[in-house]
Amino acid sequence: MNTDADKTLYIVDISSYIFRAYYSMGFLSAADGTPTGAVFGVANMLTALFKEKQPVFVAMALDSKTPTFRKEIYPEYKANRPELPEDLKAQFPLVTELLEGFDLPILQQDGYEADDIIATATRVALEAELEVVIISGDKDLTQLVGPQVVMLDTMKNRLFDAPAVEKKWGVPPQLIGDLLALVGDSSDNIPGVPRVGPKTAAPLLNEYGSLDALMASRESLKSKALAKRLTEHEESARLSRRLVALEDHVPVEFNIDALRYTP
């Protein structure tokens, strides 16, 4: 995909930026002791991004301030994560203040993660015949990659189009959700199916075409042990699939013209 700035929406996963900045910058503070490392890191990353890409349309996606709908589906979702450090918590409102100071469009909605905001903005942009560059390193977002959508991991300077996604994870973007449903995701505490890893799941999904088709044909699998595991843990796989699915109709108010950026 060759991006034309006038026809491209850049969507920044700010929630991801904050964590990356916090752990890469170390502890910095203002004269009064207010922690600022994450804020400084986000400012640097945004400045570099805007200098290099000079985007015309931009959106900053933030996680909900309240528990998301996935917690209602599965209370153990992300329950394995440690409590956020207090000095990191203190910087979230400062990052929002930074974005407002840069006059950047902020998209956030209670009950939804930044990933869902990004999925929604991507859908709206495609409907407006724009191309999309998602600025993130989150593998969940590779589900959105397609002919007019790429993901750019600026920290590793790596661009993911559809072939790059398939090369790294073994399946095309449209099967990433099914892959995660089978293998699980320890970082989000998504269970998946025990003892089914990417090297097992990817070939099966490529052969059968989807999680649903695989489940429907599991009795014909050569490995009876695997067929048994899929049967025993089908409910877990179905739950995991719901958890990793991105909601692209978040009720967040915006239009493309509102995302036009003026430096």
Side-chain angles (χ1 to χ4, degrees), residues 148-236:
Q148 279 76 49
V149 182
V150 297
M151 186 177 82
L152 175 62
D153 184 346
T154 54
M155 295 290 284
K156 297 180 180 178
N157 194 29
R158 186 168 184 184
L159 183 73
F160 288 97
D161 56 9
V165 170
E166 186 163 4
K167 182 178 180 180
K168 182 171 178 61
W169 283 282
V171 295
Q174 63 269 25
L175 289 179
I176 289 290
D178 290 345
L179 181 74
L180 294 174
L182 287 170
V183 306
D185 187 345
S186 59
S187 65
D188 289 340
N189 205 32
I190 292 174
V193 176
R195 290 185 293 170
V196 173
K199 291 183 179 180
T200 298
L204 289 173
L205 289 172
N206 285 320
E207 178 180 355
Y208 288 94
S210 70
L211 175 65
D212 288 339
L214 172 60
M215 286 296 185
S217 305
R218 59 182 178 267
E219 296 304 326
S220 65
L221 294 175
K222 292 181 180 179
S223 172
K224 299 307 175 185
L226 176 57
K228 182 180 179 182
R229 277 202 303 280
L230 291 175
T231 299
E232 291 175 344
H233 299 282
E234 180 175 4
E235 184 176 341
S236 175

Side-chain angles (χ1 to χ4, degrees), residues 18 21-22 25 35-44 90-95 98:
I18 293 172
Y22 175 78
M25 292 304 302
T36 59
V39 186
F40 182 61
V42 170
N44 281 345
Q91 296 184 69
F92 277 86
L94 298 178
V95 170
L98 172 76

